Amino acid sequence: MEAKTKNLGATAIIPLALPKGTEKFCELCQGRAYLQCSKCRVTFYCDEEHQQADWTGIHERICQLLVPIRTASVFSLHRAGQIEIQLKKVELIEICRSVAQSKLSEGKYQEALPAAQSCLHWSIDAHGPSKVQLVPAYLLLADANMGMGNLSLVGELLSQAEWAVLKSPECGPAVHHRLHRSLGRLHIATGDLEAALLHFANDIYFASEEYGVNSTITCSGYFLMAGVFAKQGKMTIACSLYSEVAHTWHSYLTDLIKTNKERNPNMSLEPSIDKPQHVEVDDMLRTILEFVQNNSKQDSAQIALVAHCLAMLWLLAGDSIKALGFGSTALQASQLIPNHDLTEPIQDLLQLLQADAHPDTA
């Protein structure tokens, strides 16, 4: 009879049930395995801690998807079967990438590791070693370890990503931009601010090539570069770059709300921004707002602009209370400037929020 563990359906491996000479290895650390997932029975672990970490991090999402991939069958030996297995691996990679990215955006770096590791494992399995398709997985692993302070490992992972890119001259600007962004963040963490600026400049260049100069993706490079200049005490340059970021997001969010209202003219606005993006943008705009408010020369127009962005962001996220708070901050700042062009849009936003809060009196 199998000895069951206390958590999440893991069972002990019975050595005599394995083919002679077969040994199983832990999904997370590659050490000798003593447990297996009792649901899929094709995934193995060295102990309960790693089994639970993998379940929480990714395995719950991909458990049954692994069965046909890891179970040999007559069909899988045929051409059609091999194609189907390859498609399942691609699906698996995308699920792992999405889960890892979501956890990273929430600051759950430890939890993101299993998904990022699985993303790399299956990317290697599907595409082979040192291929450019592995770069996104390397960057996810680097981001997770960056959050955990494992800077030496981050350096190794980014070196492998750089090598894969160097071996692929056909590699597009999107991959280059992401690699330079990660390298810039690593240099900030190690204190090499000049190297960080160089990588963020390259990040902006490649992001502009792929997404356009006014893209919200490109402007994140400006945000990171502004933070470096702020660390160097170059506040005027930092202010200018933060302003560029705020204007880009203001334009994007204004258009998003306009489109939402056109589609639902007689209805309240529905949440229309995904959680990972919301977390990242909220952190970015709050950083800019705090920077502007703490500046000795407070710029009321800039405070109004950024606070209005945050109000629109929280409206789109479906939190009218926070949207009202930032909207009020924006209105107070705009009213300090005679005939400011944002005063009316901010007032319209507050009226919309109040109507949503009290639909029966609207």
Side-chain angles (χ1 to χ4, degrees):
M1 184 176 179
E2 291 177 331
K4 293 192 175 182
T5 65
K6 297 178 182 178
N7 71 79
L8 304 176
T11 59
I13 296 173
I14 301 176
L16 293 177
L18 299 175
K20 188 175 181 180
T22 300
E23 190 171 359
K24 300 300 182 180
F25 299 97
C26 178
E27 188 78 0
L28 293 191
C29 69
Q30 302 307 308
R32 186 175 180 181
Y34 298 94
L35 303 174
Q36 67 178 351
C37 173
S38 63
K39 296 181 182 295
C40 68
R41 294 186 175 274
V42 294
T43 311
F44 305 90
Y45 304 97
C46 61
D47 58 25
E48 291 186 12
E49 183 180 349
H50 279 189
Q51 187 268 332
Q52 186 167 356
D54 192 42
W55 180 266
T56 302
I58 187 62
H59 191 69
E60 183 179 13
R61 287 285 303 275
I62 63 174
C63 182
Q64 292 308 306
L65 187 58
L66 292 170
V67 177
I69 296 175
R70 287 178 165 168
T71 304
S73 67
V74 174
F75 178 67
S76 67
L77 298 177
H78 296 152
R79 175 69 175 166
Q82 292 171 356
I83 292 173
E84 184 175 323
I85 293 297
Q86 187 71 5
L87 290 174
K88 287 185 181 295
K89 288 178 182 178
V90 171
E91 179 187 356
L92 192 60
I93 292 166
E94 178 54 28
I95 293 172
C96 293
R97 185 207 61 78
S98 177
V99 170
Q101 191 62 61
S102 178
K103 290 183 181 296
L104 287 172
S105 70
E106 297 174 21
K108 297 177 180 178
Y109 304 112
Q110 185 77 46
E111 278 190 27
L113 276 176
Q117 287 175 340
S118 290
C119 185
L120 179 60
H121 170 81
W122 291 110
S123 295
I124 293 172
D125 191 272
H127 304 291
S130 301
K131 299 293 186 181
V132 73
Q133 290 88 348
L134 275 56
V135 172
Y138 281 129
L139 298 183
L140 287 171
L141 268 174
D143 287 346
N145 281 283
M146 180 91 71
M148 296 168 63
N150 301 326
L151 298 186
S152 59
L153 182 54
V154 173
E156 293 175 16
L157 290 165
L158 293 182
S159 292
Q160 292 180 70
E162 279 189 286
W163 176 240
V165 169
L166 285 171
K167 288 181 64 180
S168 306
E170 76 284 0
C171 182
V175 174
H176 281 282
H177 118 75
R178 292 184 60 193
L179 176 58
H180 282 291
R181 186 164 293 183
S182 293
L183 286 165
R185 284 175 166 151
L186 174 61
H187 285 298
I188 287 178
T190 57
D192 191 343
L193 299 185
E194 289 301 325
L197 285 174
L198 178 61
H199 283 295
F200 289 143
N202 284 322
D203 162 21
I204 293 167
Y205 170 78
F206 286 114
S208 299
E209 286 274 298
E210 180 73 12
Y211 306 107
V213 176
N214 298 319
S215 163
T216 54
I217 295 174
T218 303
C219 86
S220 294
Y222 287 116
F223 172 77
L224 292 166
M225 185 176 275
V228 176
F229 281 120
K231 286 178 180 292
Q232 293 178 329
K234 299 176 181 178
M235 297 305 179
T236 302
I237 301 175
C239 281
S240 177
L241 291 170
Y242 279 147
S243 179
E244 182 73 22
V245 175
H247 277 94
T248 298
W249 272 105
H250 192 272
S251 176
Y252 176 81
L253 292 167
T254 299
D255 289 345
L256 200 55
I257 286 179
K258 181 180 177 181
T259 301
N260 195 310
K261 289 174 68 176
E262 287 173 351
R263 291 175 179 172
N264 304 281
N266 299 316
M267 299 172 61
S268 300
L269 288 177
E270 297 292 332
S272 56
I273 190 164
D274 62 81
K275 188 175 181 180
Q277 184 184 32
H278 173 267
V279 171
E280 179 183 355
V281 179
D282 179 57
D283 180 66
M284 189 186 306
L285 292 173
R286 284 175 185 262
T287 298
I288 297 174
L289 183 60
E290 183 180 357
F291 178 86
V292 177
Q293 288 176 328
N294 291 338
N295 196 314
S296 57
K297 299 178 181 179
Q298 283 198 4
D299 186 339
S300 296
Q302 193 74 355
I303 292 173
L305 179 73
V306 181
H308 190 207
C309 284
L310 281 160
M312 290 190 287
L313 179 69
W314 281 103
L315 171 63
L316 290 165
D319 192 326
S320 58
I321 302 300
K322 288 185 178 179
L324 276 168
F326 285 116
S328 298
T329 300
L331 184 61
Q332 291 171 8
S334 70
Q335 288 177 334
L336 296 175
I337 308 168
N339 302 315
H340 190 251
D341 58 359
L342 280 184
T343 300
E344 186 176 343
I346 293 169
Q347 289 173 332
D348 291 342
L349 180 68
L350 289 171
Q351 288 175 1
L352 176 64
L353 287 164
Q354 289 162 354
D356 281 350
H358 307 286
D360 295 336
T361 60

